[in-house]
Amino acid sequence: MATIPSDGSPMLGEHIFSAEDAAFEKRTLLNILDSIHESILIIDAQTRVCYVNDSYLKMFGIQREKIIGRHLAKFEPLARIHEVLKTGVPLTGDISHIHSAQLDVCADIVPLCQDGRIIGALALMKNMTELVQTNRELEHFKQLSEHLQNELASKDDLPPAFRNVLGHSKSFVTVLRTAARAAPSEASICIMGESGVGKEVVAEALHYSSRRAGGPLIKINCAAIPENLMESELFGYEAGAFTGARAGGKPGKFELAQHGTIFLDEIGEMPLTMQVKLLRALQEHAITRVGGSRPIQLDFRLITATNRDLAAMMSEGSFREDLYYRINVIALTIPPLRERREDINVYASLFLEELGRQYGRTYRLSAEALDLLNRYYWPGNVRELKNCMERAAVLTPGDLVDVDQLPAKMKSGGSGAAAPPPGRYKLRELLERTEQEAIESALRSCGNNRSKAMDLLGISRRNFYQKLEKYHLN
C-alpha cells in the first residue's frame, strides 16, 4: 500500500499535487514516470483520472486532455482499480479485459493513502492482448484436438466415409455402425429422423462405402418437386410428351443414377399416385419415360429419408403399405441433437472454425454461450446450430462468441428452453420420450446397475433389454 505523506512532499496530478510543490521536483518526477515502459494510471477517491503517463496514452490510443479529470467509473465501470479503491487491498499480476479499448492487461494495483485514509489508487499495466489471444487460440485448438481424438477413438472401426461423419455420441455412433454394416449390401435403406439431423450426410456415407461408390449419387427432394412434374423429373420424358418438352426428350433422375445410388429425400411427401409408379420401378428395376412405351432397365440402389412417421401415415392411408415395406428393408433412426448433447460443442467448434477461415478470424465460444447451447432444445437440430453459429460470427465484434450474439429465443427460455414446444410430438412420440427418460433416470439412480434399475421400473429383464436396444442405451 502506497502512503502519501502530508508534510509537503510532492504528490502527482492536478488533484493530488499541492500548490507548494517545487516545479523542478514535479517535472523531474513526471519525466521519470513518462519514461517507464509500463502504462501508469492514477485516480483519486472520486475515480477522477489524475495522471496517466505517455505509455498509457500510446497503449489506449487516447489524448491526455481527453481523459484527465474524467471519472473512470463512467467509461470503464468494470476496471479492477475500483475494487482496490473501495477495499484498500492491493492486486498483483491481475489479468483483466479493458472493454472500452478491447485490450487484455496485466496490472499491479495499489491504493494511495494519506493520514490513514484512501485518497486514490495507482495501476501499473502491461499489454497482454497478444499473449492472452494466443493462449485462447491454443486452448481452442486443444479442445478441438481432443474432440477429433474422441471422434477417431469412437469410430476407428468404421469405413472412412463414416469416420468422416461428425459426431461421437454413443447413440449416433451406434446408428453409424448399423449403417456401415448395411452399406455393402443392395438392401433399400430408409433413414428417419427430424429435420436437420444429418440424414443426407449419412446417405452420402452409405453410398461411398458401397460397391457403387464409383457410380453417381443422385439426390432428389420429393417435397421440392411439384406433383405434376414429379413423374417427368424421376422417370424422364420423350420428345413431344407434353407442351414445352425438350426436343429429343430428357432422362430422369433414375436413369442418371445408373450403376449408382438414388437418394429420395422427404419420401413421405410423395403423392399416392406417384407412390404406385415408384413401387413398380423398384419391383422391376425399370422405368418408362413419360410419353414413351419402351421400358428402360436400370441398375441402382435406393436410399430414402423422411422426417415423417411413415408407419402412422400407412395406418392413415396416406402412404402405401407395399411401398413402405419395399423401401424400409433396413431402417436407420438418427437421434435428434438434444439427445446427443455431447456433440453440440463438436459441431459448434467446427462451424466456427469454418467461418473463421471464411472471414479471416479465429472464433471461440465463451463458457456462458456454450452452456446456453447445451441447454437449448434445438428443434432445428444441426442445421439450426449451423445457422446460429453463422449469425453469431457475423454479429460478434471480436473473436469471442458470447450469449449476446445468440438468438433471443435461446436466452428468453432459460432452463426451460430445453422443454419441447407444444404440439411438437404426437402421443406415441411423447410416450417414447418419457419412457426413455425414465430408463435413463433409473440407471443413474442405481449407479448403472441394470438389475436394480429393472426392479425399480417394475419390468421384466427381456422387456428391459429390448428397451435398452430400442433407445440405444446399451
Side-chain angles (χ1 to χ4, degrees):
M1 180 179 297
T3 301
I4 304 297
S6 57
D7 58 359
S9 300
M11 294 185 293
L12 291 174
E14 179 184 340
H15 299 283
I16 297 180
F17 278 110
S18 67
E20 293 79 19
D21 289 332
F24 176 77
E25 293 180 357
K26 175 181 176 180
R27 189 165 53 253
T28 301
L29 180 57
L30 292 177
N31 287 338
I32 293 172
L33 294 178
D34 280 336
S35 67
I36 294 175
H37 182 69
E38 287 81 5
S39 299
I40 297 176
L41 165 71
I42 299 177
I43 62 174
D44 66 13
Q46 287 73 46
T47 80
R48 283 191 301 266
V49 178
C50 304
Y51 172 79
V52 291
N53 67 349
D54 289 346
S55 295
Y56 182 98
L57 300 175
K58 184 182 296 185
M59 185 167 79
F60 290 95
I62 193 171
Q63 296 177 339
R64 184 174 271 107
E65 59 269 21
K66 298 289 187 181
I67 189 172
I68 295 297
R70 291 185 62 192
H71 287 273
L72 186 68
K74 290 184 177 180
F75 61 91
E76 195 61 50
L78 300 179
R80 299 298 298 276
I81 195 170
H82 300 308
E83 179 183 333
V84 173
L85 186 65
K86 182 179 179 180
T87 64
V89 179
L91 290 175
T92 303
D94 179 72
I95 296 179
S96 60
H97 186 72
I98 307 297
H99 293 271
S100 60
Q102 290 298 300
L103 294 176
D104 294 290
V105 300
C106 179
D108 293 330
I109 310 172
V110 296
L112 301 175
C113 295
Q114 186 178 50
D115 298 332
R117 60 187 180 89
I118 298 174
I119 63 167
L122 179 148
L124 188 69
M125 294 171 282
K126 295 180 181 178
N127 190 344
M128 305 290 286
T129 304
E130 290 187 9
L131 180 60
V132 170
Q133 176 66 17
T134 301
N135 286 337
R136 286 171 179 161
E137 291 177 7
L138 288 173
E139 182 63 26
H140 168 75
F141 287 119
K142 178 183 176 183
Q143 291 177 358
L144 190 59
S145 173
E146 290 174 353
H147 289 316
L148 292 174
Q149 288 174 3
N150 289 334
E151 288 270 307
L152 294 173
S154 63
K155 297 188 293 191
D156 55 4
D157 58 331
L158 295 178
F162 286 99
R163 288 201 300 271
N164 293 333
V165 177
L166 199 65
H168 65 254
S169 65
K170 185 177 180 181
S171 60
F172 186 54
V173 173
T174 298
V175 174
L176 294 183
R177 287 205 173 97
T178 303
R181 288 195 294 270
S185 74
E186 289 295 296
S188 296
I189 296 177
C190 184
I191 307 171
M192 292 175 279
E194 295 177 11
S195 178
V197 293
K199 298 186 288 294
E200 184 176 335
V201 174
V202 175
E204 291 175 352
L206 282 164
H207 170 72
Y208 292 113
S209 298
S210 72
R211 68 177 182 85
R212 299 177 178 274
L217 170 61
I218 304 299
K219 305 174 185 178
I220 306 107
N221 188 324
C222 298
I225 305 175
E227 183 174 349
N228 61 334
L229 296 179
M230 185 167 288
E231 183 176 3
S232 61
E233 280 291 315
L234 296 184
F235 301 150
Y237 57 82
E238 297 289 0
F242 49 81
T243 303
R246 182 187 299 175
K250 178 186 175 183
K253 302 297 186 183
F254 273 80
E255 286 184 70
L256 297 177
Q258 180 78 312
H259 305 306
T261 302
I262 187 161
F263 174 52
L264 297 181
D265 199 5
E266 306 293 355
I267 186 70
E269 307 300 325
M270 181 173 285
L272 275 169
T273 53
M274 193 61 210
Q275 291 179 29
V276 178
K277 297 172 183 177
L278 174 62
L279 178 63
R280 185 181 303 115
L282 297 179
Q283 290 172 334
E284 300 173 1
H285 263 255
I287 58 96
T288 301
R289 289 184 178 184
V290 175
S293 58
R294 179 180 60 87
I296 302 174
Q297 291 297 132
L298 297 174
D299 172 38
F300 61 87
R301 199 255 185 98
L302 177 72
I303 299 175
T304 59
T306 182
N307 61 3
R308 303 280 299 274
D309 186 341
L310 295 185
M313 291 178 65
M314 185 175 63
S315 300
E316 297 164 357
S318 57
F319 200 87
R320 291 184 61 91
E321 183 176 359
D322 43 9
L323 179 60
Y324 175 81
Y325 290 116
R326 173 68 65 173
I327 67 173
N328 200 30
V329 176
I330 296 176
L332 300 173
T333 302
I334 302 178
L337 187 58
R338 62 184 169 277
E339 293 180 8
R340 44 189 176 107
R341 295 188 178 275
E342 56 266 55
D343 286 340
I344 291 175
N345 192 19
V346 177
Y347 286 120
S349 298
L350 177 70
F351 295 150
L352 287 177
E353 183 183 6
E354 292 174 347
L355 290 162
R357 287 196 295 267
Q358 180 180 342
Y359 296 126
R361 296 164 70 177
T362 303
Y363 295 109
R364 64 191 188 282
L365 279 168
S366 71
E368 294 79 8
L370 181 58
D371 179 64
L372 194 57
L373 295 182
N374 280 307
R375 288 190 288 114
Y376 182 59
Y377 186 67
W378 297 113
N381 292 290
V382 180
R383 185 182 295 122
E384 183 182 7
L385 177 57
K386 185 174 184 179
N387 177 279
C388 178
M389 291 299 96
E390 185 167 5
R391 176 187 187 276
V394 170
L395 295 181
T396 183
D399 292 340
L400 181 67
V401 174
D402 208 347
V403 293
D404 291 339
Q405 286 83 53
L406 299 181
K409 63 180 179 180
M410 297 179 62
K411 294 174 277 187
S412 61
S415 59
R424 179 67 178 83
Y425 290 105
K426 293 183 178 180
L427 178 60
R428 181 181 62 79
E429 293 170 309
L430 286 171
L431 291 173
E432 288 180 347
R433 280 178 52 82
T434 303
E435 185 175 64
Q436 179 179 344
E437 289 170 1
I439 294 172
E440 291 173 339
S441 177
L443 286 168
R444 283 195 300 270
S445 63
C446 296
N448 215 35
N449 186 309
R450 297 184 175 185
S451 296
K452 291 181 179 179
M454 67 182 71
D455 289 340
L456 184 63
L457 293 167
I459 59 177
S460 67
R461 177 176 293 273
R462 179 185 178 189
N463 194 10
F464 180 76
Y465 279 92
Q466 284 177 340
K467 294 185 185 300
L468 289 183
E469 180 71 23
K470 177 180 179 180
Y471 299 122
H472 307 294
L473 299 175
N474 287 328

